[in-house]
mmCIF file of all heavy atoms in Angstrom:
data_model
loop_
_atom_site.group_PDB
_atom_site.id
_atom_site.type_symbol
_atom_site.label_atom_id
_atom_site.label_comp_id
_atom_site.label_asym_id
_atom_site.label_seq_id
_atom_site.Cartn_x
_atom_site.Cartn_y
_atom_site.Cartn_z
ATOM 1 N N ILE A 1266 21.119 13.397 28.496
ATOM 2 C CA ILE A 1266 20.878 14.472 27.532
ATOM 3 C C ILE A 1266 19.865 15.469 28.092
ATOM 4 O O ILE A 1266 20.056 16.681 27.994
ATOM 5 C CB ILE A 1266 20.406 13.894 26.184
ATOM 6 C CG1 ILE A 1266 21.514 13.043 25.563
ATOM 7 C CG2 ILE A 1266 19.977 15.014 25.244
ATOM 8 C CD1 ILE A 1266 21.065 12.188 24.387
ATOM 9 N N ARG A 1267 18.808 14.959 28.699
ATOM 10 C CA ARG A 1267 17.769 15.844 29.251
ATOM 11 C C ARG A 1267 18.293 16.726 30.378
ATOM 12 O O ARG A 1267 17.715 17.774 30.659
ATOM 13 C CB ARG A 1267 16.593 15.010 29.742
ATOM 14 C CG ARG A 1267 15.775 14.426 28.620
ATOM 15 C CD ARG A 1267 14.690 13.525 29.138
ATOM 16 N NE ARG A 1267 13.822 13.059 28.060
ATOM 17 C CZ ARG A 1267 13.105 11.958 28.131
ATOM 18 N NH1 ARG A 1267 13.121 11.207 29.220
ATOM 19 N NH2 ARG A 1267 12.347 11.602 27.114
ATOM 20 N N ALA A 1268 19.378 16.324 31.016
ATOM 21 C CA ALA A 1268 19.953 17.101 32.111
ATOM 22 C C ALA A 1268 20.877 18.217 31.624
ATOM 23 O O ALA A 1268 21.344 19.017 32.435
ATOM 24 C CB ALA A 1268 20.725 16.166 33.043
ATOM 25 N N LEU A 1269 21.117 18.289 30.324
ATOM 26 C CA LEU A 1269 22.008 19.323 29.795
ATOM 27 C C LEU A 1269 21.408 20.706 29.978
ATOM 28 O O LEU A 1269 20.182 20.891 29.887
ATOM 29 C CB LEU A 1269 22.277 19.086 28.305
ATOM 30 C CG LEU A 1269 23.053 17.818 27.963
ATOM 31 C CD1 LEU A 1269 23.085 17.614 26.457
ATOM 32 C CD2 LEU A 1269 24.464 17.886 28.534
ATOM 33 N N GLU A 1270 22.262 21.680 30.196
ATOM 34 C CA GLU A 1270 21.810 23.056 30.356
ATOM 35 C C GLU A 1270 21.048 23.503 29.112
ATOM 36 O O GLU A 1270 21.500 23.317 27.986
ATOM 37 C CB GLU A 1270 23.003 23.983 30.575
ATOM 38 C CG GLU A 1270 22.598 25.418 30.811
ATOM 39 C CD GLU A 1270 23.777 26.345 31.069
ATOM 40 O OE1 GLU A 1270 24.892 25.851 31.299
ATOM 41 O OE2 GLU A 1270 23.552 27.560 31.028
ATOM 42 N N GLY A 1271 19.867 24.052 29.336
ATOM 43 C CA GLY A 1271 19.055 24.579 28.247
ATOM 44 C C GLY A 1271 18.176 23.553 27.559
ATOM 45 O O GLY A 1271 17.367 23.907 26.706
ATOM 46 N N CYS A 1272 18.308 22.279 27.914
ATOM 47 C CA CYS A 1272 17.464 21.250 27.294
ATOM 48 C C CYS A 1272 16.104 21.260 27.978
ATOM 49 O O CYS A 1272 15.978 20.968 29.162
ATOM 50 C CB CYS A 1272 18.099 19.869 27.409
ATOM 51 S SG CYS A 1272 17.116 18.568 26.611
ATOM 52 N N GLU A 1273 15.075 21.626 27.207
ATOM 53 C CA GLU A 1273 13.717 21.660 27.743
ATOM 54 C C GLU A 1273 12.982 20.353 27.476
ATOM 55 O O GLU A 1273 12.175 19.910 28.289
ATOM 56 C CB GLU A 1273 12.957 22.839 27.135
ATOM 57 C CG GLU A 1273 13.561 24.177 27.521
ATOM 58 C CD GLU A 1273 12.844 25.354 26.879
ATOM 59 O OE1 GLU A 1273 11.834 25.155 26.161
ATOM 60 O OE2 GLU A 1273 13.302 26.492 27.089
ATOM 61 N N GLU A 1274 13.253 19.759 26.323
ATOM 62 C CA GLU A 1274 12.646 18.464 25.971
ATOM 63 C C GLU A 1274 13.577 17.716 25.040
ATOM 64 O O GLU A 1274 14.253 18.317 24.192
ATOM 65 C CB GLU A 1274 11.309 18.645 25.261
ATOM 66 C CG GLU A 1274 10.168 19.052 26.146
ATOM 67 C CD GLU A 1274 8.843 18.946 25.419
ATOM 68 O OE1 GLU A 1274 8.373 17.807 25.203
ATOM 69 O OE2 GLU A 1274 8.298 19.995 25.061
ATOM 70 N N TYR A 1275 13.598 16.414 25.187
ATOM 71 C CA TYR A 1275 14.358 15.543 24.291
ATOM 72 C C TYR A 1275 13.625 14.216 24.317
ATOM 73 O O TYR A 1275 13.670 13.495 25.315
ATOM 74 C CB TYR A 1275 15.796 15.391 24.796
ATOM 75 C CG TYR A 1275 16.795 15.027 23.730
ATOM 76 C CD1 TYR A 1275 17.566 16.007 23.110
ATOM 77 C CD2 TYR A 1275 16.964 13.704 23.336
ATOM 78 C CE1 TYR A 1275 18.493 15.682 22.129
ATOM 79 C CE2 TYR A 1275 17.885 13.375 22.363
ATOM 80 C CZ TYR A 1275 18.652 14.367 21.774
ATOM 81 O OH TYR A 1275 19.574 14.029 20.793
ATOM 82 N N ARG A 1276 12.876 13.934 23.256
ATOM 83 C CA ARG A 1276 11.981 12.779 23.261
ATOM 84 C C ARG A 1276 12.200 11.929 22.011
ATOM 85 O O ARG A 1276 12.489 12.447 20.941
ATOM 86 C CB ARG A 1276 10.534 13.254 23.318
ATOM 87 C CG ARG A 1276 10.270 14.069 24.600
ATOM 88 C CD ARG A 1276 8.950 14.761 24.594
ATOM 89 N NE ARG A 1276 7.874 13.782 24.561
ATOM 90 C CZ ARG A 1276 6.597 14.081 24.395
ATOM 91 N NH1 ARG A 1276 6.237 15.333 24.247
ATOM 92 N NH2 ARG A 1276 5.681 13.154 24.384
ATOM 93 N N LEU A 1277 12.016 10.633 22.161
ATOM 94 C CA LEU A 1277 12.176 9.682 21.064
ATOM 95 C C LEU A 1277 10.810 9.146 20.655
ATOM 96 O O LEU A 1277 9.986 8.798 21.507
ATOM 97 C CB LEU A 1277 13.070 8.522 21.507
ATOM 98 C CG LEU A 1277 13.301 7.407 20.496
ATOM 99 C CD1 LEU A 1277 14.052 7.926 19.271
ATOM 100 C CD2 LEU A 1277 14.055 6.257 21.145
ATOM 101 N N PHE A 1278 10.597 9.074 19.335
ATOM 102 C CA PHE A 1278 9.341 8.564 18.782
ATOM 103 C C PHE A 1278 9.635 7.481 17.755
ATOM 104 O O PHE A 1278 10.618 7.567 17.018
ATOM 105 C CB PHE A 1278 8.550 9.688 18.090
ATOM 106 C CG PHE A 1278 8.049 10.735 19.035
ATOM 107 C CD1 PHE A 1278 8.848 11.802 19.401
ATOM 108 C CD2 PHE A 1278 6.766 10.657 19.557
ATOM 109 C CE1 PHE A 1278 8.390 12.771 20.272
ATOM 110 C CE2 PHE A 1278 6.295 11.618 20.429
ATOM 111 C CZ PHE A 1278 7.109 12.679 20.797
ATOM 112 N N ASP A 1279 8.756 6.481 17.691
ATOM 113 C CA ASP A 1279 8.783 5.478 16.639
ATOM 114 C C ASP A 1279 7.943 5.981 15.485
ATOM 115 O O ASP A 1279 6.767 6.323 15.677
ATOM 116 C CB ASP A 1279 8.187 4.150 17.123
ATOM 117 C CG ASP A 1279 9.063 3.426 18.114
ATOM 118 O OD1 ASP A 1279 10.281 3.346 17.879
ATOM 119 O OD2 ASP A 1279 8.533 2.923 19.127
ATOM 120 N N ALA A 1280 8.518 6.057 14.296
ATOM 121 C CA ALA A 1280 7.758 6.424 13.105
ATOM 122 C C ALA A 1280 7.136 5.152 12.525
ATOM 123 O O ALA A 1280 7.691 4.058 12.673
ATOM 124 C CB ALA A 1280 8.666 7.096 12.078
ATOM 125 N N VAL A 1281 6.003 5.289 11.863
ATOM 126 C CA VAL A 1281 5.298 4.122 11.342
ATOM 127 C C VAL A 1281 6.091 3.406 10.247
ATOM 128 O O VAL A 1281 5.850 2.228 9.992
ATOM 129 C CB VAL A 1281 3.878 4.480 10.837
ATOM 130 C CG1 VAL A 1281 3.016 4.946 11.993
ATOM 131 C CG2 VAL A 1281 3.924 5.515 9.736
ATOM 132 N N ASN A 1282 7.051 4.085 9.624
ATOM 133 C CA ASN A 1282 7.844 3.457 8.563
ATOM 134 C C ASN A 1282 9.092 2.759 9.098
ATOM 135 O O ASN A 1282 9.905 2.259 8.327
ATOM 136 C CB ASN A 1282 8.238 4.486 7.506
ATOM 137 C CG ASN A 1282 9.225 5.516 8.017
ATOM 138 O OD1 ASN A 1282 9.505 5.586 9.209
ATOM 139 N ND2 ASN A 1282 9.746 6.316 7.114
ATOM 140 N N GLY A 1283 9.273 2.739 10.431
ATOM 141 C CA GLY A 1283 10.429 2.086 11.030
ATOM 142 C C GLY A 1283 11.548 3.033 11.412
ATOM 143 O O GLY A 1283 12.485 2.647 12.111
ATOM 144 N N ASP A 1284 11.479 4.274 10.949
ATOM 145 C CA ASP A 1284 12.471 5.265 11.363
ATOM 146 C C ASP A 1284 12.249 5.622 12.829
ATOM 147 O O ASP A 1284 11.215 5.305 13.416
ATOM 148 C CB ASP A 1284 12.361 6.545 10.522
ATOM 149 C CG ASP A 1284 12.869 6.376 9.103
ATOM 150 O OD1 ASP A 1284 13.474 5.323 8.784
ATOM 151 O OD2 ASP A 1284 12.662 7.298 8.298
ATOM 152 N N LEU A 1285 13.225 6.302 13.385
ATOM 153 C CA LEU A 1285 13.109 6.852 14.729
ATOM 154 C C LEU A 1285 13.190 8.362 14.605
ATOM 155 O O LEU A 1285 13.951 8.882 13.786
ATOM 156 C CB LEU A 1285 14.234 6.334 15.622
ATOM 157 C CG LEU A 1285 14.216 4.818 15.853
ATOM 158 C CD1 LEU A 1285 15.509 4.363 16.498
ATOM 159 C CD2 LEU A 1285 13.030 4.436 16.725
ATOM 160 N N MET A 1286 12.392 9.060 15.394
ATOM 161 C CA MET A 1286 12.356 10.518 15.344
ATOM 162 C C MET A 1286 12.693 11.073 16.720
ATOM 163 O O MET A 1286 12.153 10.609 17.721
ATOM 164 C CB MET A 1286 10.959 11.008 14.935
ATOM 165 C CG MET A 1286 10.502 10.546 13.561
ATOM 166 S SD MET A 1286 11.434 11.234 12.208
ATOM 167 C CE MET A 1286 11.038 12.958 12.348
ATOM 168 N N LEU A 1287 13.580 12.052 16.717
ATOM 169 C CA LEU A 1287 13.884 12.772 17.943
ATOM 170 C C LEU A 1287 13.223 14.134 17.884
ATOM 171 O O LEU A 1287 13.268 14.809 16.845
ATOM 172 C CB LEU A 1287 15.394 12.964 18.105
ATOM 173 C CG LEU A 1287 16.197 11.734 18.473
ATOM 174 C CD1 LEU A 1287 17.686 12.020 18.375
ATOM 175 C CD2 LEU A 1287 15.830 11.263 19.876
ATOM 176 N N TYR A 1288 12.629 14.522 18.985
ATOM 177 C CA TYR A 1288 12.071 15.862 19.151
ATOM 178 C C TYR A 1288 12.917 16.522 20.228
ATOM 179 O O TYR A 1288 12.980 16.039 21.363
ATOM 180 C CB TYR A 1288 10.603 15.785 19.584
ATOM 181 C CG TYR A 1288 10.036 17.098 20.061
ATOM 182 C CD1 TYR A 1288 9.662 18.082 19.160
ATOM 183 C CD2 TYR A 1288 9.886 17.354 21.418
ATOM 184 C CE1 TYR A 1288 9.151 19.291 19.613
ATOM 185 C CE2 TYR A 1288 9.373 18.552 21.874
ATOM 186 C CZ TYR A 1288 9.004 19.527 20.958
ATOM 187 O OH TYR A 1288 8.511 20.719 21.400
ATOM 188 N N GLU A 1289 13.601 17.598 19.851
ATOM 189 C CA GLU A 1289 14.495 18.293 20.770
ATOM 190 C C GLU A 1289 14.033 19.734 20.917
ATOM 191 O O GLU A 1289 13.667 20.368 19.931
ATOM 192 C CB GLU A 1289 15.927 18.309 20.222
ATOM 193 C CG GLU A 1289 16.457 16.957 19.818
ATOM 194 C CD GLU A 1289 17.824 17.035 19.149
ATOM 195 O OE1 GLU A 1289 18.487 18.094 19.215
ATOM 196 O OE2 GLU A 1289 18.225 16.031 18.553
ATOM 197 N N ARG A 1290 14.064 20.228 22.130
ATOM 198 C CA ARG A 1290 13.721 21.643 22.366
ATOM 199 C C ARG A 1290 14.722 22.199 23.366
ATOM 200 O O ARG A 1290 14.864 21.667 24.472
ATOM 201 C CB ARG A 1290 12.302 21.779 22.884
ATOM 202 C CG ARG A 1290 11.867 23.232 23.067
ATOM 203 C CD ARG A 1290 10.401 23.271 23.469
ATOM 204 N NE ARG A 1290 10.013 24.579 23.935
ATOM 205 C CZ ARG A 1290 9.365 25.465 23.178
ATOM 206 N NH1 ARG A 1290 9.042 25.162 21.940
ATOM 207 N NH2 ARG A 1290 9.026 26.637 23.668
ATOM 208 N N PHE A 1291 15.402 23.259 22.934
ATOM 209 C CA PHE A 1291 16.398 23.922 23.765
ATOM 210 C C PHE A 1291 15.998 25.374 23.964
ATOM 211 O O PHE A 1291 15.377 25.983 23.089
ATOM 212 C CB PHE A 1291 17.780 23.824 23.122
ATOM 213 C CG PHE A 1291 18.368 22.447 23.216
ATOM 214 C CD1 PHE A 1291 18.043 21.469 22.283
ATOM 215 C CD2 PHE A 1291 19.211 22.110 24.253
ATOM 216 C CE1 PHE A 1291 18.567 20.186 22.374
ATOM 217 C CE2 PHE A 1291 19.738 20.830 24.366
ATOM 218 C CZ PHE A 1291 19.414 19.860 23.427
ATOM 219 N N THR A 1292 16.386 25.936 25.095
ATOM 220 C CA THR A 1292 16.029 27.306 25.444
ATOM 221 C C THR A 1292 16.473 28.288 24.367
ATOM 222 O O THR A 1292 15.744 29.220 24.029
ATOM 223 C CB THR A 1292 16.642 27.687 26.803
ATOM 224 O OG1 THR A 1292 16.226 26.721 27.764
ATOM 225 C CG2 THR A 1292 16.189 29.064 27.251
ATOM 226 N N THR A 1293 17.653 28.061 23.801
ATOM 227 C CA THR A 1293 18.170 28.925 22.744
ATOM 228 C C THR A 1293 18.936 28.078 21.728
ATOM 229 O O THR A 1293 19.285 26.919 22.011
ATOM 230 C CB THR A 1293 19.158 29.978 23.295
ATOM 231 O OG1 THR A 1293 20.323 29.297 23.790
ATOM 232 C CG2 THR A 1293 18.529 30.833 24.391
ATOM 233 N N ARG A 1294 19.218 28.675 20.597
ATOM 234 C CA ARG A 1294 20.038 27.996 19.592
ATOM 235 C C ARG A 1294 21.432 27.719 20.146
ATOM 236 O O ARG A 1294 22.021 26.682 19.870
ATOM 237 C CB ARG A 1294 20.147 28.833 18.319
ATOM 238 C CG ARG A 1294 20.899 28.105 17.222
ATOM 239 C CD ARG A 1294 20.916 28.908 15.918
ATOM 240 N NE ARG A 1294 21.231 28.035 14.811
ATOM 241 C CZ ARG A 1294 22.476 27.726 14.427
ATOM 242 N NH1 ARG A 1294 23.515 28.235 15.073
ATOM 243 N NH2 ARG A 1294 22.671 26.912 13.400
ATOM 244 N N ASN A 1295 21.967 28.636 20.949
ATOM 245 C CA ASN A 1295 23.290 28.421 21.543
ATOM 246 C C ASN A 1295 23.311 27.184 22.437
ATOM 247 O O ASN A 1295 24.290 26.433 22.432
ATOM 248 C CB ASN A 1295 23.745 29.655 22.326
ATOM 249 C CG ASN A 1295 24.137 30.796 21.413
ATOM 250 O OD1 ASN A 1295 24.414 30.612 20.226
ATOM 251 N ND2 ASN A 1295 24.153 32.003 21.952
ATOM 252 N N HIS A 1296 22.247 26.961 23.193
ATOM 253 C CA HIS A 1296 22.169 25.750 24.015
ATOM 254 C C HIS A 1296 22.154 24.509 23.127
ATOM 255 O O HIS A 1296 22.807 23.505 23.436
ATOM 256 C CB HIS A 1296 20.913 25.762 24.900
ATOM 257 C CG HIS A 1296 21.006 26.688 26.052
ATOM 258 N ND1 HIS A 1296 20.313 27.869 26.093
ATOM 259 C CD2 HIS A 1296 21.713 26.622 27.205
ATOM 260 C CE1 HIS A 1296 20.575 28.484 27.235
ATOM 261 N NE2 HIS A 1296 21.431 27.752 27.924
ATOM 262 N N TRP A 1297 21.401 24.568 22.032
ATOM 263 C CA TRP A 1297 21.345 23.418 21.122
ATOM 264 C C TRP A 1297 22.719 23.167 20.514
ATOM 265 O O TRP A 1297 23.182 22.025 20.468
ATOM 266 C CB TRP A 1297 20.293 23.652 20.030
ATOM 267 C CG TRP A 1297 20.246 22.556 19.019
ATOM 268 C CD1 TRP A 1297 19.963 21.234 19.247
ATOM 269 C CD2 TRP A 1297 20.478 22.668 17.615
ATOM 270 N NE1 TRP A 1297 20.012 20.526 18.065
ATOM 271 C CE2 TRP A 1297 20.330 21.392 17.053
ATOM 272 C CE3 TRP A 1297 20.800 23.735 16.780
ATOM 273 C CZ2 TRP A 1297 20.496 21.140 15.696
ATOM 274 C CZ3 TRP A 1297 20.957 23.490 15.427
ATOM 275 C CH2 TRP A 1297 20.810 22.197 14.900
ATOM 276 N N GLN A 1298 23.384 24.204 20.068
ATOM 277 C CA GLN A 1298 24.716 24.048 19.483
ATOM 278 C C GLN A 1298 25.699 23.487 20.511
ATOM 279 O O GLN A 1298 26.517 22.628 20.179
ATOM 280 C CB GLN A 1298 25.214 25.391 18.944
ATOM 281 C CG GLN A 1298 24.458 25.869 17.715
ATOM 282 C CD GLN A 1298 24.723 25.003 16.504
ATOM 283 O OE1 GLN A 1298 25.838 24.927 16.034
ATOM 284 N NE2 GLN A 1298 23.692 24.343 16.006
ATOM 285 N N ALA A 1299 25.616 23.958 21.747
ATOM 286 C CA ALA A 1299 26.527 23.494 22.795
ATOM 287 C C ALA A 1299 26.318 22.022 23.127
ATOM 288 O O ALA A 1299 27.263 21.335 23.519
ATOM 289 C CB ALA A 1299 26.355 24.355 24.047
ATOM 290 N N HIS A 1300 25.115 21.518 22.938
ATOM 291 C CA HIS A 1300 24.849 20.129 23.312
ATOM 292 C C HIS A 1300 25.641 19.141 22.465
ATOM 293 O O HIS A 1300 25.905 18.028 22.884
ATOM 294 C CB HIS A 1300 23.338 19.839 23.303
ATOM 295 C CG HIS A 1300 22.800 19.111 22.127
ATOM 296 N ND1 HIS A 1300 22.647 19.694 20.888
ATOM 297 C CD2 HIS A 1300 22.348 17.833 21.997
ATOM 298 C CE1 HIS A 1300 22.128 18.801 20.048
ATOM 299 N NE2 HIS A 1300 21.940 17.671 20.688
ATOM 300 N N PHE A 1301 26.099 19.549 21.293
ATOM 301 C CA PHE A 1301 26.878 18.650 20.436
ATOM 302 C C PHE A 1301 28.215 18.266 21.068
ATOM 303 O O PHE A 1301 28.805 17.252 20.693
ATOM 304 C CB PHE A 1301 27.100 19.274 19.054
ATOM 305 C CG PHE A 1301 25.864 19.306 18.218
ATOM 306 C CD1 PHE A 1301 25.252 20.517 17.921
ATOM 307 C CD2 PHE A 1301 25.285 18.145 17.734
ATOM 308 C CE1 PHE A 1301 24.101 20.553 17.147
ATOM 309 C CE2 PHE A 1301 24.127 18.170 16.967
ATOM 310 C CZ PHE A 1301 23.535 19.382 16.671
ATOM 311 N N ASP A 1302 28.710 19.054 22.018
ATOM 312 C CA ASP A 1302 29.973 18.765 22.693
ATOM 313 C C ASP A 1302 29.794 17.946 23.969
ATOM 314 O O ASP A 1302 30.780 17.549 24.585
ATOM 315 C CB ASP A 1302 30.703 20.073 23.032
ATOM 316 C CG ASP A 1302 31.123 20.834 21.789
ATOM 317 O OD1 ASP A 1302 31.462 20.190 20.769
ATOM 318 O OD2 ASP A 1302 31.107 22.078 21.827
ATOM 319 N N ALA A 1303 28.564 17.690 24.362
ATOM 320 C CA ALA A 1303 28.295 16.925 25.582
ATOM 321 C C ALA A 1303 28.710 15.462 25.381
ATOM 322 O O ALA A 1303 28.524 14.899 24.301
ATOM 323 C CB ALA A 1303 26.811 16.998 25.933
ATOM 324 N N PRO A 1304 29.278 14.839 26.419
ATOM 325 C CA PRO A 1304 29.720 13.446 26.288
ATOM 326 C C PRO A 1304 28.639 12.497 25.769
ATOM 327 O O PRO A 1304 28.934 11.607 24.966
ATOM 328 C CB PRO A 1304 30.144 13.080 27.716
ATOM 329 C CG PRO A 1304 30.557 14.381 28.320
ATOM 330 C CD PRO A 1304 29.612 15.407 27.734
ATOM 331 N N ALA A 1305 27.399 12.669 26.198
ATOM 332 C CA ALA A 1305 26.328 11.770 25.740
ATOM 333 C C ALA A 1305 26.100 11.892 24.236
ATOM 334 O O ALA A 1305 25.884 10.887 23.547
ATOM 335 C CB ALA A 1305 25.040 12.049 26.494
ATOM 336 N N ILE A 1306 26.167 13.106 23.709
ATOM 337 C CA ILE A 1306 25.941 13.311 22.275
ATOM 338 C C ILE A 1306 27.149 12.840 21.476
ATOM 339 O O ILE A 1306 27.007 12.237 20.403
ATOM 340 C CB ILE A 1306 25.594 14.780 21.981
ATOM 341 C CG1 ILE A 1306 24.292 15.176 22.687
ATOM 342 C CG2 ILE A 1306 25.505 15.028 20.483
ATOM 343 C CD1 ILE A 1306 23.066 14.376 22.264
ATOM 344 N N VAL A 1307 28.342 13.080 22.002
ATOM 345 C CA VAL A 1307 29.557 12.590 21.329
ATOM 346 C C VAL A 1307 29.491 11.066 21.232
ATOM 347 O O VAL A 1307 29.771 10.485 20.178
ATOM 348 C CB VAL A 1307 30.822 13.066 22.087
ATOM 349 C CG1 VAL A 1307 32.068 12.377 21.555
ATOM 350 C CG2 VAL A 1307 30.955 14.586 21.980
ATOM 351 N N ARG A 1308 29.104 10.414 22.316
ATOM 352 C CA ARG A 1308 28.971 8.954 22.300
ATOM 353 C C ARG A 1308 27.880 8.507 21.335
ATOM 354 O O ARG A 1308 28.069 7.562 20.553
ATOM 355 C CB ARG A 1308 28.655 8.453 23.713
ATOM 356 C CG ARG A 1308 28.454 6.962 23.759
ATOM 357 C CD ARG A 1308 28.139 6.442 25.140
ATOM 358 N NE ARG A 1308 27.683 5.063 25.042
ATOM 359 C CZ ARG A 1308 26.934 4.475 25.945
ATOM 360 N NH1 ARG A 1308 26.595 5.108 27.063
ATOM 361 N NH2 ARG A 1308 26.528 3.230 25.767
ATOM 362 N N LEU A 1309 26.738 9.190 21.372
ATOM 363 C CA LEU A 1309 25.630 8.844 20.495
ATOM 364 C C LEU A 1309 26.058 8.904 19.031
ATOM 365 O O LEU A 1309 25.823 7.964 18.265
ATOM 366 C CB LEU A 1309 24.457 9.789 20.762
ATOM 367 C CG LEU A 1309 23.130 9.469 20.104
ATOM 368 C CD1 LEU A 1309 22.550 8.173 20.638
ATOM 369 C CD2 LEU A 1309 22.151 10.610 20.330
ATOM 370 N N LYS A 1310 26.704 9.988 18.645
ATOM 371 C CA LYS A 1310 27.134 10.143 17.258
ATOM 372 C C LYS A 1310 28.151 9.075 16.863
ATOM 373 O O LYS A 1310 28.083 8.522 15.766
ATOM 374 C CB LYS A 1310 27.694 11.544 17.046
ATOM 375 C CG LYS A 1310 26.616 12.622 17.073
ATOM 376 C CD LYS A 1310 27.186 14.013 17.030
ATOM 377 C CE LYS A 1310 27.833 14.317 15.707
ATOM 378 N NZ LYS A 1310 28.275 15.708 15.569
ATOM 379 N N ALA A 1311 29.086 8.767 17.753
ATOM 380 C CA ALA A 1311 30.115 7.772 17.457
ATOM 381 C C ALA A 1311 29.514 6.378 17.293
ATOM 382 O O ALA A 1311 29.837 5.663 16.332
ATOM 383 C CB ALA A 1311 31.172 7.769 18.559
ATOM 384 N N GLU A 1312 28.626 6.008 18.205
ATOM 385 C CA GLU A 1312 28.069 4.652 18.171
ATOM 386 C C GLU A 1312 27.007 4.467 17.096
ATOM 387 O O GLU A 1312 26.767 3.343 16.651
ATOM 388 C CB GLU A 1312 27.544 4.271 19.550
ATOM 389 C CG GLU A 1312 28.673 4.127 20.569
ATOM 390 C CD GLU A 1312 28.231 3.508 21.875
ATOM 391 O OE1 GLU A 1312 27.264 2.705 21.887
ATOM 392 O OE2 GLU A 1312 28.863 3.827 22.906
#
């Protein structure tokens, strides 16, 4: 995911309540929107 075009940061955090938090930063909104079609994200959403 971090190797995707426009991905500046993609980090995982443990929340104190047991949730998991993702922090994502993309160069533009278009880069963020495009990442949804990447194989890693498609797999992540499916699994």
Side-chain angles (χ1 to χ4, degrees):
I1266 296 168
R1267 287 176 175 157
L1269 294 172
E1270 183 178 348
C1272 182
E1273 296 178 3
E1274 285 191 73
Y1275 204 97
R1276 299 170 64 188
L1277 178 64
F1278 293 86
D1279 289 315
V1281 295
N1282 68 351
D1284 287 351
L1285 296 168
M1286 299 293 295
L1287 287 171
Y1288 168 77
E1289 308 174 14
R1290 183 175 167 100
F1291 287 84
T1292 305
T1293 66
R1294 185 176 199 274
N1295 287 341
H1296 285 107
W1297 176 61
Q1298 290 292 297
H1300 102 286
F1301 288 111
D1302 295 326
I1306 298 299
V1307 170
R1308 178 180 168 203
L1309 189 66
K1310 289 173 68 174
E1312 293 191 29

